[in-house]
Amino acid sequence: MTSPQSRENRLDQSNLGTISVMAWVGEHVDDGRDMAFLLAYSLGDGAAGPEAAGEAVRHLLTQSGLPIGGGVVDGSRSSLPMTVLIEDGSASLSTPYLNARCLVPEQWTTAARKRDHVYFMFTTRPWPQGAPGVAVAEEDLKAFLCDEATIAASAHCLLPVSTPRT
């Protein structure tokens, strides 16, 4: 028999929908040097629609220990169950509920390795315009990222990066 509480603690992955990960490099406001950024979001195409997708992402983040709408969590100083692996021109994000991979430019890899971390943002706000394989104009990305609703609906953290052992 399953208790109501344990049902609440489960993530219905079918509600997540398609999770996409996007990487870009930008100047960090504190020091003017390149920062590798990684954004994760749902397309909102899960079994129960966009609202349920946002709630499923919220559940995933909460279960992982990431506050939504709060400050930036330093993943190197906490026990976040998330990792970023850089390998062969791609970044692989692993969380307890999903694994995602995206291609990254050499400038991104260089910035991530120099800092030993990436700025990771995972938003509960679905973004169907950011579909995998479809080019996103820089102004559309900026409009989504800088929107107060996106910022408030996101977890922000610095995730350490690793590379395969050779």
Side-chain angles (χ1 to χ4, degrees), residues 13-56:
Q13 289 184 298
S14 69
N15 286 337
L16 282 171
T18 305
I19 299 293
S20 191
V21 178
M22 184 181 295
W24 74 97
V25 176
E27 185 178 292
H28 193 277
V29 295
D30 290 342
D31 61 17
R33 296 184 306 134
D34 279 350
M35 171 68 83
F37 291 92
L38 199 59
L39 169 69
Y41 54 92
S42 172
L43 297 183
D45 59 353
E51 189 173 317
E55 284 306 312

Side-chain angles (χ1 to χ4, degrees), residues 4 20 24 28 32 38 42 44 53 63-66 70 81 84 86 96-97 110 114 117 121 131 139-140 143 151 158:
S20 191
W24 74 97
H28 193 277
L38 199 59
S42 172
Q63 291 296 322
S64 298
L66 280 174
V84 175
I86 302 172
Y97 297 103
T110 300
K114 280 184 179 178
H117 65 261
M121 181 175 160
E139 58 271 7
D140 293 336
I151 293 167
L158 300 176

Side-chain angles (χ1 to χ4, degrees), residues 58 61 66-72 122-124 148-156:
R58 179 178 302 283
L61 293 170
L66 280 174
I68 297 164
V72 179
F122 200 150
T123 185
T124 64
E148 288 298 321
T150 302
I151 293 167
S154 299
H156 303 262

Side-chain angles (χ1 to χ4, degrees), residues 2 25 27 36-37 40-41 58 70 76 83 86 89 93 98 106-107 114 121 133 142 144 150 159 162:
T2 305
V25 176
E27 185 178 292
F37 291 92
Y41 54 92
R58 179 178 302 283
S76 68
T83 61
I86 302 172
L93 171 69
L98 64 94
E106 184 59 37
Q107 184 184 7
K114 280 184 179 178
M121 181 175 160
K142 282 182 181 178
F144 180 72
T150 302
L159 281 180
S162 61

